[in-house]
Amino acid sequence: MTAMMNWQKLLSPARLGSHHSNVGTFGRSDFHKDYDRIIFSAAFRRLQRKTQVHPLPENDNVHTRLTHSLEVSCIGRSLGLMVGNKLHEKGSLPDAIEPDHMAAIVQAAALSHDIGNPPFGHAGEYAIRQWFEEADPKFTASLTPEQFADLTTYEGNAQGFRLLTNKRTGLYDGGMRLTYATLASFLKYPWSASGSPFPQKKKFGAFQKEFALLEEVAEATGLIRTGDQAFCRHPLVYLVEAADDLCYALIDIEDGVELELVDFKILEDMLLPCITDELPAEYRRETNVSRKISFLRGKIISGVLDALVTAFVTNEEALLAGEWKGDLLACASGPYNDLITTAKSFSEKQIILNRRKVQIEVGAFAHLETLLETFCRTALDVHHAKSDADIPYRAGRVRELVGADAMPIGASLYELYLVILDYVSGMTDDFAARLARDIGGGQH
């Protein structure tokens, strides 16, 4: 008989690192508190100066990681509430769980989905991976194959899980102490780098250091184990993923219009086939492009949400069995999947490869190489030292930047590298560029 997950465990209000297990008070359940803990965190605030698509934009109207995350959380909240209502009507929700609770879970998971991303967007991830792949053997010889895989397939999702659960982000074990339901809904890739069922994609959800915490979340929510270090996804992950896909597919092109990289007519021609209502006269008379985009976006999002909710509820059994392999947009009825596919393809060819963006990303590699060379050399010095007196002066100053308490004398290289990546990945784009210039004597 096929193993099945159930909503009773999947929507667990218990908190990581705590014995608390109640849903909480009306109007501010523990799932709503998850959202609050994330949005009030310093890590979330720093997303305002991190790249979404266009690095270090001079135009304040284009999206950063912070505005993108807020928009994804809004879409996620609507999806969670609409799916919650459908499941409530079917009698599938546990007695203590309301549709609004499911909305809060998806909203919190969506809000934090990019919280672990390093500076300079995906270019930052590639730069970190490449540095460890090409590093002098003295930096990596003592690492286990699993630890080496963590670094050479470095992933913002794993960094995000570490950030949400690391004790350094809170007074107690469990870091932010989010509910198991929110953490499981955050885990887009619930496996380790070495246990990934899709190693070629270089996507994973937890470093070896935190994999026991991932297992704890999986056990608490009833995720089905699919390998030694792999589990199936939580069903609500698919709602978070769909909200993210919808936002970045449309918003990337909106930003392209804002930056005058794309003509508005191209975006309009993509969106109009998905709008079945007759366009109002006000739209046809409007000359302001931003207002026309806002109108079209609202129409598209309403239609996509309905299609996604229908797809989720229709495939609930396969989702609970952990057998779902695709994404919700791919099976959403109507023209929406074609729209998203076309928008992504256009964005990759016309926007993501924009010359100015490519130039800045090349610079990002140089900045991160400088930072990693300096900080990882310090890790070697701290690892080999017997006392503070053994640490060279420069390494001592670097250690103070990161936090001497986080880099104890004699700690393993792997753990020191993770602490360094905490520090580097937490940097904003402009701070990383400025610090790299200072360290390198202004050569970048």
Side-chain angles (χ1 to χ4, degrees), residues 102-393:
M102 186 174 282
I105 293 167
V106 180
Q107 184 180 27
L111 185 75
S112 58
H113 81 281
D114 275 349
I115 202 167
N117 280 31
F120 310 114
H122 290 302
E125 289 178 320
Y126 297 137
I128 291 169
R129 294 172 187 171
Q130 184 174 316
W131 191 89
F132 282 104
E133 287 172 354
E134 299 176 356
D136 186 297
K138 68 183 178 183
F139 288 104
T140 57
S142 66
L143 300 177
T144 67
E146 292 78 14
Q147 293 169 349
F148 187 67
D150 280 354
L151 303 176
T152 55
T153 56
Y154 176 82
E155 235 289 320
N157 287 283
Q159 185 67 49
F161 184 70
R162 175 173 166 83
L163 192 155
L164 295 175
T165 60
N166 195 301
K167 186 175 179 180
R168 294 181 68 202
T169 61
L171 286 176
Y172 309 106
D173 289 339
M176 293 189 191
R177 287 196 162 187
L178 304 181
T179 62
Y180 287 122
T182 294
L183 286 170
S185 300
F186 168 85
L187 282 166
K188 188 175 180 180
Y189 308 108
W191 46 75
S192 69
S194 57
S196 171
F198 312 105
Q200 70 280 5
K201 293 186 177 180
K202 295 192 173 183
K203 297 288 187 181
F204 66 102
F207 299 119
Q208 288 296 316
K209 176 72 175 174
E210 283 78 45
F211 193 75
L213 293 177
L214 188 154
E215 288 185 304
E216 182 178 338
V217 172
E219 174 64 27
T221 53
L223 303 187
I224 299 167
R225 186 181 287 273
T226 57
D228 288 342
Q229 291 199 347
F231 295 86
C232 73
R233 284 175 161 189
H234 190 292
L236 297 187
V237 167
Y238 292 94
L239 298 183
V240 175
E241 182 179 52
D244 186 27
D245 282 349
L246 176 59
C247 284
Y248 81 69
L250 298 181
I251 300 306
D252 283 1
I253 302 179
E254 283 190 33
D255 284 348
V257 173
E258 176 66 36
L259 293 171
E260 299 182 349
L261 301 174
V262 180
D263 189 274
F264 166 69
K265 188 69 167 59
I266 292 175
L267 176 61
E268 185 180 45
D269 288 345
M270 283 186 195
L271 301 183
L272 285 179
C274 297
I275 298 175
T276 56
D277 300 342
E278 184 176 346
L279 291 174
E282 289 83 355
Y283 176 85
R284 300 191 184 282
R285 290 196 298 266
E286 182 61 66
T287 58
N288 183 285
V289 167
S290 294
R291 286 196 284 269
K292 295 186 84 164
I293 288 176
S294 178
F295 174 84
L296 294 174
R297 185 200 317 119
K299 284 285 189 181
I300 294 295
I301 287 175
S302 294
V304 174
L305 292 184
D306 288 338
L308 288 171
V309 170
T310 299
F312 187 97
V313 175
T314 300
N315 294 284
E316 180 189 1
E317 185 173 343
L319 288 163
L320 291 175
E323 295 173 351
W324 187 262
K325 302 301 181 187
D327 63 77
L328 285 180
L329 277 168
C331 68
S333 60
Y336 303 112
N337 183 49
D338 288 343
L339 165 65
I340 300 304
T341 301
T342 301
K344 284 183 181 179
S345 176
F346 178 84
S347 180
E348 288 170 1
K349 294 174 183 176
Q350 303 296 323
I351 298 176
I352 292 177
L353 295 181
N354 169 260
R355 183 174 179 82
R356 171 62 178 155
K357 181 180 187 299
V358 171
Q359 287 174 338
I360 293 176
E361 288 189 346
V362 170
F365 272 75
H367 293 322
L368 287 172
E369 285 168 4
T370 296
L371 294 174
L372 290 171
E373 180 72 25
T374 299
F375 284 98
C376 291
R377 191 172 297 279
T378 295
L380 276 179
D381 291 333
V382 172
H383 172 66
H384 291 303
K386 302 300 182 186
S387 69
D388 286 351
D390 295 332
I391 300 177
Y393 178 83

Side-chain angles (χ1 to χ4, degrees), residues 411-444:
S412 76
L413 270 180
Y414 172 68
E415 294 193 8
L416 290 170
Y417 288 154
L418 289 183
V419 169
I420 285 166
L421 291 174
D422 289 343
Y423 185 64
V424 172
S425 70
M427 294 178 182
T428 59
D429 290 12
D430 43 3
F431 180 79
R434 186 169 64 250
L435 183 59
R437 286 192 294 267
D438 290 345
I439 288 173
Q443 68 213 37
H444 298 306

